[in-house]
Amino acid sequence: MGVGGESEPLLEALKNSVINGMSDESVKYVNDLVSKGVAAQTILDAMAKGVLHVGEQLSNKQAFLPELVITFDAFRKGLAIIEPALKAAPSQGKKLKVVLGTVEGDIHNIGKNLVKTMFEASSFEVYDVGVDVPPETFAKKAVEVDADLVGCSTLVSPGLISLRKTVERVRELRGDKTKIIIGGYATSPQLASELGIIYCKDAYDGVNKIRSVFKE
Amino acid sequence: MALEKEEMNPFDRVTAALKGEPTDRVPIGWLGRREVGFGLPQVTVADVVREKSGYKLYKGIKAMVERFHPDMIAVMTYTTVEAVAMGTKDKYFADQLPAPIDYAIKSPEDLEKTKIPDPRVDGDLPCLYNALKKVSNDFSGQVPIGAGTVGPFSVGARIRGLWDISFDIMRRPWFAHDVVKHATEACINIIEGFREAGATGTSSGAGSETVLGIEHFRQFCVPYERMYHRKAKKLGYLSMSRHICSGPSADLVIDEFPKFGFDNLPILVWGYYKDAQTMQQKKKLFTEYTPVVAVGGTLRASDELFYGTPAQVEAESVKLLDVCSPGGRYFHMADCCIPPTTPLENLDAFVISAKKYRPKA
């Protein structure tokens, strides 16, 4: 069912509940919308607007981790309700497939998890391979799911050695079929430029860069 | 190139630099993490930090001091050592420092079960405590020796988990306060032991706090940090090295640092500054709060120092000195912990360039 006029205020309220991190309210609004027959994708889009709004605030230093954590909590609880319906729904065009992880030698997961949630909110199909991930695992997963993109995160500089190997291995197995994006404190635009890959300064920047690259 | 004979010893140089008085040259700050056993054949980081006698750590520090002759020594290993001594589980890697994988506090009930660590016996803290004793035995009276913690909020984040304490801040702030208060007691107990073992300077600060906005920083960091600084003074510490780690709010919270307790101890505010010009500006701001303050550290440890050539490191080093050394109150050091595999030649270039640097006329 499409979005009737009566659902618009509810969708707006849902978006605001996600922005404010009110997970109980988000769950209530999602249930209300589902009971009114609103499509799962429409509900997801409303929540995604909330997530991206706070992601943008984070990027602009208007919000910080605590604000983002409760927004993501509200989003995830809402998403859990509609996830079965999203999976069952006929696909509307090809979704971007992303393999995402923290490179071998690094177990920091907050940055990676922020990116994951932002990517999911952007309707990318995310395959989270976890933390401390060897290059081979990234590359094999990219082959297995026919990934459009591999995302590598690292906070610590020794992780860069593994990151370089990951880039090499993904290229060996996937050639130009899979693009690579990097982020995390130890990475830099200079490194991305040297390796011929994409750099994102934060999760919101990552979404925008990917949209831009795959639109071309 | 042979260096000129120096007129001041490290104690005089550090004291003068903190007061903004003239020095014979720019003081060299501590060389973070170099001391973690690097250069000792067949020794991994885990071998060093797990060894309770602290012997390997001491040997690493001794080798570092004899090679670089810094103006400060910091006895430290890894930044979750306090939390691990309180029950957080970590994972070791072959060529770098351990990081947490399972946190000690999962619920309010866990708080009561989480002990205040004794640095003489708990976790990997005895490595630091015993190394400190040995280092003091060798270098006390020659170079200021520091040992501290990552500070109340960062220890809190490492026993609770940064994600979970962020959630607590928003949804059950009383619990976040309880965690940080508990962490403060732990930090104080640890530096009490370090003082006994011979440290004359102490330290605080790590990355967890720079994910907070200003208001949360004021609520969850500043009051606890003040308690910590006050206690450090009572324990007889002579100075505090206060680290600013990079993080989304690092630029914003720097101006809040004077509220930590600049009125308590001579303080070196080192670490992340957006650039050298910003560091120079903040130095002026800090002096409005205390006459005994200095800054240091914008050379990126994970970038220029780690990847550059010695010539590149020297060039960057001189650029930094040109901007920040005028007016004194400046310590030459990297922005954060130096990766264990950083080429020694790059550190030579970093140190020697500062030792032979003379301000432009």
Side-chain angles (χ1 to χ4, degrees):
Chain A
M1 187 183 288
V3 184
E6 64 181 277
S7 297
E8 284 294 351
L10 263 184
L11 289 166
E12 185 66 16
L14 173 60
K15 181 189 88 176
N16 288 331
S17 69
V18 169
I19 289 172
N20 295 320
M22 310 302 285
S23 55
D24 289 349
E25 284 184 16
S26 301
V27 166
K28 179 186 171 301
Y29 292 135
V30 170
N31 282 326
D32 287 352
L33 286 157
V34 168
S35 68
K36 286 178 186 296
V38 176
Q41 186 61 49
T42 306
I43 298 171
L44 175 65
D45 290 345
M47 291 197 293
K49 281 181 192 165
V51 169
L52 292 172
H53 177 83
V54 178
E56 187 176 12
Q57 286 186 321
L58 183 79
S59 194
N60 296 331
K61 298 184 192 287
Q62 293 165 327
F64 296 92
L65 187 63
E67 291 83 0
L68 207 63
V69 164
I70 56 167
T71 281
F72 283 11
D73 183 59
F75 171 72
R76 291 222 157 271
K77 285 180 176 155
L79 182 64
I81 299 167
I82 55 170
E83 213 152 26
L86 283 170
K87 283 183 178 157
S91 177
Q92 296 177 333
K94 183 179 177 288
K95 278 189 173 181
L96 206 67
K97 291 180 183 171
V98 187
V99 173
L100 187 66
T102 302
V103 300
E104 189 170 36
D106 188 351
I107 55 173
H108 290 94
N109 64 4
I110 287 183
K112 187 263 297 173
N113 289 344
L114 294 182
V115 170
K116 179 185 173 184
T117 304
M118 294 281 281
F119 282 10
E120 284 175 340
S122 305
S123 292
F124 301 164
E125 198 170 313
V126 181
Y127 297 86
D128 182 353
V129 285
V131 297
D132 192 17
V133 180
E136 195 66 17
T137 306
F138 273 107
K140 283 193 172 161
K141 193 72 184 175
V143 171
E144 180 194 323
V145 303
D146 188 23
D148 300 294
L149 187 75
V150 166
C152 304
S153 165
T154 184
L155 184 80
V156 296
S157 46
L160 295 177
I161 297 162
S162 172
L163 189 145
R164 284 172 183 272
K165 287 181 187 163
T166 303
V167 171
E168 275 175 32
R169 191 65 184 133
V170 170
R171 284 204 173 128
E172 279 168 15
L173 295 192
R174 294 289 294 167
D176 294 335
K177 282 186 281 187
T178 300
K179 294 192 188 303
I180 301 167
I181 188 165
I182 58 170
Y185 181 67
T187 66
S188 64
Q190 292 80 4
L191 176 70
S193 170
E194 180 203 328
L195 297 173
I197 56 181
I198 309 161
Y199 168 77
C200 65
K201 78 177 173 72
D202 54 44
Y204 184 70
D205 184 43
V207 169
N208 288 334
K209 292 249 173 76
I210 291 167
R211 283 185 171 158
S212 162
V213 166
F214 284 91
K215 200 194 278 181
E216 286 167 4
Chain B
M1 175 188 168
L3 297 172
E4 290 172 28
K5 183 173 175 0
E6 298 186 330
E7 292 164 16
M8 300 176 94
N9 66 42
F11 272 102
D12 294 342
R13 191 176 292 117
V14 165
T15 306
L18 282 166
K19 288 180 181 168
E21 294 170 355
T23 52
D24 57 344
R25 63 161 170 79
V26 167
I28 311 296
W30 61 277
L31 298 166
R33 297 263 169 91
R34 289 303 307 163
E35 57 268 51
V36 190
F38 189 78
L40 299 175
Q42 307 302 312
V43 173
T44 69
V45 169
D47 290 335
V48 175
V49 303
R50 281 173 179 154
E51 190 200 40
K52 289 196 188 292
S53 77
Y55 182 72
K56 291 188 181 111
L57 178 60
Y58 154 71
K59 290 291 280 182
I61 291 172
K62 191 170 159 61
M64 186 271 295
V65 173
E66 286 170 354
R67 179 168 183 136
F68 300 110
H69 301 285
D71 291 299
M72 309 169 92
I73 296 173
V75 177
M76 67 168 295
T77 49
Y78 61 101
T79 65
T80 40
V81 68
E82 306 90 346
V84 168
M86 297 171 81
T88 287
K89 304 278 184 290
D90 61 354
K91 177 174 177 177
Y92 287 80
F93 296 98
D95 59 353
Q96 62 160 302
L97 297 162
I101 50 170
D102 187 35
Y103 297 100
I105 297 176
K106 295 186 173 62
S107 68
E109 293 72 40
D110 290 338
L111 199 53
E112 288 168 21
K113 292 182 269 177
T114 306
K115 69 183 294 191
I116 299 297
D118 179 344
R120 298 158 197 87
V121 292
D122 289 322
D124 295 327
L125 289 170
C127 171
L128 289 166
Y129 178 81
N130 292 317
L132 193 47
K133 279 187 159 179
K134 294 177 175 67
V135 170
S136 297
N137 197 42
D138 281 11
F139 298 107
S140 165
Q142 295 174 48
V143 187
I145 299 166
T149 69
V150 290
F153 186 81
S154 286
V155 170
R158 286 155 167 77
I159 53 177
R160 173 73 180 126
L162 186 54
W163 190 272
D164 286 330
I165 203 169
S166 294
F167 186 87
D168 298 334
I169 283 170
M170 300 300 287
R171 289 290 171 257
R172 42 181 183 175
W174 54 270
F175 183 39
H177 278 296
D178 283 352
V179 170
V180 184
K181 187 165 178 282
H182 196 68
T184 309
E185 288 175 37
C187 291
I188 287 171
N189 212 45
I190 291 168
I191 62 167
E192 203 162 5
F194 289 169
R195 179 79 186 103
E196 176 196 280
T200 55
T202 192
S203 58
S204 180
S208 303
E209 62 212 24
T210 48
V211 301
L212 305 179
I214 292 288
E215 214 31 65
H216 289 142
F217 187 84
R218 285 177 186 151
Q219 288 175 42
F220 294 93
C221 294
V222 173
Y224 302 100
E225 188 88 13
R226 280 196 65 79
M227 280 183 219
Y228 180 68
H229 284 228
R230 275 202 302 271
K231 186 65 184 181
K233 186 182 184 180
K234 277 190 187 163
L235 289 168
Y237 280 106
L238 302 175
S239 65
M240 173 71 71
S241 291
R242 217 306 163 176
H243 181 44
I244 311 162
C245 208
S246 68
S249 64
D251 285 328
L252 305 176
V253 300
I254 289 172
D255 291 353
E256 299 294 312
F257 273 63
K259 294 174 188 161
F260 277 162
F262 273 22
D263 46 336
N264 280 321
L265 284 167
I267 192 159
L268 167 61
V269 190
W270 72 277
Y272 171 86
Y273 293 93
K274 193 169 61 183
D275 50 41
Q277 285 75 14
T278 303
M279 185 162 72
Q280 187 70 349
Q281 284 167 11
K282 297 305 170 190
K283 181 164 82 177
K284 286 180 187 153
L285 168 78
F286 296 157
T287 55
E288 291 173 15
Y289 292 84
T290 173
V292 201
V293 65
V295 298
T298 61
L299 197 77
R300 273 192 76 177
S302 62
D303 199 344
E304 285 99 347
L305 262 184
F306 188 61
Y307 281 117
T309 62
Q312 285 167 334
V313 170
E314 183 174 353
E316 289 299 322
S317 185
V318 169
K319 268 197 247 171
L320 189 55
L321 287 156
D322 283 343
V323 175
C324 299
S325 67
R329 301 182 186 279
Y330 168 68
F331 284 66
H332 198 58
M333 56 205 298
D335 69 335
C336 202
C337 302
I338 298 167
T341 46
T342 303
L344 290 172
E345 297 71 26
N346 287 3
L347 286 172
D348 285 337
F350 178 66
V351 171
I352 292 169
S353 60
K355 286 192 175 179
K356 69 182 186 186
Y357 179 83
R358 294 294 175 268
K360 287 175 183 166

